[in-house]
Amino acid sequence: MTFEPADPEFERRTRESFARQGAMALIGAELEKVAPGEVEIGLAFRRELSQQHGFFHAGILSTIADSAGGYAGFTLFPPEAGVLTVEFKLNLMAAADGERARAVGRVIRSGRTLTVCHIDVFVTKGARTTHCATGLQTLMSLVGRAGVKD
Amino acid sequence: MTFEPADPEFERRTRESFARQGAMALIGAELEKVAPGEVEIGLAFRRELSQQHGFFHAGILSTIADSAGGYAGFTLFPPEAGVLTVEFKLNLMAAADGERARAVGRVIRSGRTLTVCHIDVFVTKGARTTHCATGLQTLMSLVGRAGVKD
Amino acid sequence: MTFEPADPEFERRTRESFARQGAMALIGAELEKVAPGEVEIGLAFRRELSQQHGFFHAGILSTIADSAGGYAGFTLFPPEAGVLTVEFKLNLMAAADGERARAVGRVIRSGRTLTVCHIDVFVTKGARTTHCATGLQTLMSLVGRAGVKD
Amino acid sequence: MTFEPADPEFERRTRESFARQGAMALIGAELEKVAPGEVEIGLAFRRELSQQHGFFHAGILSTIADSAGGYAGFTLFPPEAGVLTVEFKLNLMAAADGERARAVGRVIRSGRTLTVCHIDVFVTKGARTTHCATGLQTLMSLVGRAGVKD
């Protein structure tokens, strides 16, 4: 799918918003790709990101997946609009055992009010990359309201 | 719903597993309640846990919600079983604007292989508590396999 | 939770809309309860509603669950607004083996644009009622647009 | 993704099981494609399948989507195994206004116990086909148990 961004400054706007997410800095997430309707976020494994078996915590993966999807939608929004997650669902398909995770958000439906994204997480261990999680996310575009749903 | 734990040592076992989740320590989450089929996790707000508008990041809320539900299921498992999240879905219903979040996981279906939980997140700001997120989670009980789905 | 309907004619309006759903007549669904923010739909088992093992088909259960949730939201809408399902998720927790199913939709978040409902399905066999499915649904209120998302 | 079916008779077995689903006959659904890990089901519009605006009812679409995904998983199961839906989630992205719907189920993770599928629904009106719904489904393989979850 190809999307035309409403705002030519979409990449700068997306990077600025990402930089304001304290949670991304805390976990060490990096914005790796910003394209119209598609965003990727990378994350190196550290013991601080683990669940009880020493793999990436499902919640940490959902944190980068939620941001990847949210910013994928955000790239297509008009300059004055904010983004909020309405809901998301994630299937954890394989143990997230590896050195690095990558979350990919891709818009599949872009509407004036609601946007739908596919969100996927891949984990790399040595030479092998595993598709660890796949999900769906619904976003809302908020014009002129500071991050509050209506 | 009332559940009979299969293991009388369920609380100790749950607290030990929680202590091994690096992600809980990183974000500052605290295990506030461990009862058969019900677990609560608390989290104080810090700038490091925010999204771009300064509220709790949806992914951080889903991290404590996923752990609350996972451990709610875990309390009912036999001693030798591990827990993995198969999938979860979360609806973000209100801006997570407050000083403290509390995730509640409650088992609604406890099976030999699969367990289903309600997961909810409440955020408190001053005297007001808001039900910010509600969701569902499917868990898998893993006997004799170190955290790997089959 | 208690809700104040925006339209005192909510029950008449809900019953009229239900009567226009061809799918409800086809499967034999009956509107059993219409209260502010809560709707119940009943369905007698017939071989025509089955999956391959002779139980209620998960899709048929999701059909009455989707309508129960949709109309639960609809009871709270202003007179001129239509309702559309944005998304829903259903966990099938037990075999839907019985003579009668009942879907219950309850609003848990009522907003100007978006509404969130719990949707549940119970199946009765003889004297025993089983909680077969539980889910979440997001609805959209549509003012002045004939059933088309935006 | 390419899958190797465990049972060379997968197509016959799938068609026989589909023929036992009373719900598919009731709504008029047709099994259009049976390949390893991928199944398509078609459905002609009739007034009896509608919601209140005269489009396909979301529940009817979810019924063919659930069967398409369930049988996509089933094609990869061993001969003696049955299939049950653990849960599914569907995003309704556009009004399902058209003469014919087609549900596509594709396996993305095939495990011994659990299988994950993408489920999608397309609706055709005249020359135009719209991607109306996208979702995820978790299936369970049941060996030697007649359709009852454990």
Side-chain angles (χ1 to χ4, degrees):
Chain A
M1 234 177 211
T2 315
F3 294 103
E4 196 62 45
D7 173 15
E9 294 292 301
F10 73 89
E11 180 165 353
R12 183 188 47 74
R13 201 166 39 93
T14 300
R15 293 192 176 277
E16 285 173 4
S17 180
F18 182 90
R20 283 197 300 275
Q21 289 204 339
M24 292 296 106
L26 176 69
I27 62 175
E30 298 164 294
L31 194 50
E32 294 189 342
K33 179 180 176 179
V34 180
E38 186 166 349
V39 162
E40 294 186 15
I41 294 175
L43 180 65
F45 182 76
R46 318 191 319 260
R47 187 72 188 85
E48 287 85 353
L49 304 178
S50 73
Q51 34 84 295
Q52 71 278 14
H53 300 112
F55 306 152
F56 278 104
H57 193 288
I60 297 296
L61 297 186
S62 75
T63 301
I64 58 171
D66 175 56
S67 281
Y71 284 124
F74 190 68
T75 61
L76 304 179
F77 287 1
E80 69 281 7
V83 61
L84 276 183
T85 300
V86 171
E87 59 87 33
F88 72 93
K89 182 251 205 281
L90 205 61
N91 270 66
L92 290 316
M93 300 189 293
D97 175 19
E99 301 104 34
R100 194 165 179 86
R102 184 168 49 95
V104 181
R106 277 165 300 133
V107 173
I108 49 175
R109 192 253 183 207
S110 174
R112 199 169 57 95
T113 308
L114 297 180
T115 291
V116 180
C117 291
H118 273 302
I119 49 179
D120 289 279
V121 183
F122 303 86
V123 171
T124 299
K125 182 172 192 170
R128 201 165 63 106
T129 295
T130 303
H131 187 183
C132 285
T134 189
L136 283 167
Q137 183 192 39
T138 307
L139 303 169
M140 194 175 194
S141 167
L142 293 168
V143 179
R145 286 166 291 179
V148 180
K149 278 196 196 67
D150 200 14
Chain B
M1 232 176 211
T2 315
F3 293 104
E4 195 62 43
D7 174 15
E9 294 292 301
F10 74 90
E11 179 164 354
R12 183 188 47 76
R13 200 167 38 94
T14 301
R15 292 192 177 277
E16 286 174 4
S17 180
F18 183 90
R20 284 197 300 275
Q21 290 204 337
M24 292 297 105
L26 177 70
I27 64 177
E30 296 163 296
L31 194 50
E32 295 189 341
K33 178 180 177 179
V34 180
E38 185 166 350
V39 162
E40 296 188 13
I41 294 175
L43 181 64
F45 183 76
R46 319 193 316 261
R47 187 72 189 85
E48 287 84 354
L49 304 177
S50 73
Q51 34 86 292
Q52 71 279 13
H53 299 112
F55 306 153
F56 279 104
H57 193 287
I60 297 296
L61 296 186
S62 74
T63 300
I64 57 171
D66 175 55
S67 281
Y71 284 124
F74 190 67
T75 60
L76 303 180
F77 287 1
E80 69 282 8
V83 60
L84 276 182
T85 300
V86 170
E87 59 87 34
F88 71 93
K89 182 252 205 283
L90 205 61
N91 270 67
L92 290 315
M93 301 190 293
D97 176 19
E99 301 105 31
R100 194 164 179 86
R102 185 169 50 95
V104 180
R106 277 167 301 134
V107 172
I108 49 174
R109 192 253 183 209
S110 173
R112 198 170 59 95
T113 308
L114 297 179
T115 291
V116 180
C117 293
H118 274 301
I119 49 178
D120 289 280
V121 183
F122 303 86
V123 171
T124 300
K125 184 174 192 171
R128 201 165 62 105
T129 294
T130 303
H131 188 183
C132 284
T134 191
L136 283 167
Q137 183 190 40
T138 307
L139 303 169
M140 193 173 193
S141 167
L142 292 169
V143 178
R145 288 167 288 178
V148 179
K149 275 194 200 69
D150 201 15
Chain C
M1 233 177 210
T2 315
F3 293 104
E4 196 62 46
D7 173 15
E9 295 292 302
F10 73 90
E11 181 165 352
R12 184 188 48 75
R13 199 166 40 93
T14 300
R15 292 192 177 276
E16 286 173 4
S17 180
F18 182 89
R20 284 197 300 274
Q21 289 204 339
M24 293 296 106
L26 177 69
I27 63 176
E30 298 164 294
L31 194 50
E32 295 189 340
K33 179 181 177 178
V34 180
E38 185 165 349
V39 162
E40 295 187 14
I41 294 175
L43 180 64
F45 183 76
R46 316 190 321 259
R47 187 72 188 85
E48 287 84 354
L49 303 178
S50 73
Q51 33 84 295
Q52 71 280 13
H53 300 112
F55 307 152
F56 279 104
H57 193 287
I60 297 295
L61 297 186
S62 74
T63 301
I64 58 171
D66 176 55
S67 281
Y71 285 124
F74 191 67
T75 61
L76 304 179
F77 288 1
E80 68 281 8
V83 61
L84 276 182
T85 300
V86 171
E87 59 87 35
F88 72 93
K89 181 251 206 284
L90 204 62
N91 271 66
L92 289 317
M93 300 189 293
D97 176 19
E99 302 102 32
R100 194 165 178 86
R102 185 169 50 96
V104 180
R106 277 166 301 135
V107 172
I108 50 175
R109 192 253 183 208
S110 173
R112 199 169 59 94
T113 307
L114 297 179
T115 291
V116 180
C117 292
H118 274 302
I119 49 178
D120 289 280
V121 182
F122 303 86
V123 171
T124 300
K125 183 173 190 169
R128 201 165 62 106
T129 295
T130 303
H131 188 184
C132 285
T134 190
L136 283 167
Q137 183 191 40
T138 307
L139 303 169
M140 193 173 193
S141 166
L142 293 169
V143 179
R145 286 167 290 178
V148 180
K149 278 196 196 68
D150 200 13
Chain D
M1 234 176 210
T2 314
F3 293 103
E4 196 61 46
D7 174 14
E9 294 292 300
F10 74 89
E11 179 164 354
R12 183 187 50 75
R13 202 167 37 95
T14 301
R15 293 193 177 275
E16 285 173 4
S17 179
F18 183 90
R20 284 197 300 275
Q21 290 204 336
M24 292 297 105
L26 177 69
I27 63 177
E30 297 163 296
L31 194 50
E32 295 190 340
K33 179 182 178 178
V34 180
E38 185 166 351
V39 161
E40 296 187 14
I41 294 174
L43 181 64
F45 182 76
R46 320 193 315 262
R47 187 72 188 84
E48 287 85 355
L49 304 177
S50 73
Q51 33 86 293
Q52 71 279 14
H53 300 112
F55 306 153
F56 279 104
H57 192 288
I60 297 296
L61 297 186
S62 74
T63 300
I64 58 171
D66 175 55
S67 281
Y71 284 124
F74 190 67
T75 61
L76 304 179
F77 287 3
E80 69 281 8
V83 61
L84 276 182
T85 300
V86 171
E87 59 88 35
F88 72 92
K89 182 251 205 285
L90 205 62
N91 270 66
L92 290 315
M93 300 189 294
D97 176 18
E99 302 104 30
R100 195 167 178 84
R102 186 168 49 95
V104 181
R106 274 166 303 132
V107 172
I108 49 175
R109 190 253 184 210
S110 174
R112 199 169 58 95
T113 307
L114 297 180
T115 291
V116 180
C117 292
H118 275 301
I119 49 179
D120 289 279
V121 183
F122 303 86
V123 171
T124 300
K125 184 173 192 170
R128 201 165 62 107
T129 295
T130 303
H131 188 183
C132 285
T134 190
L136 283 167
Q137 182 191 40
T138 307
L139 303 169
M140 194 173 193
S141 167
L142 293 169
V143 179
R145 285 168 291 178
V148 179
K149 276 195 196 69
D150 200 14

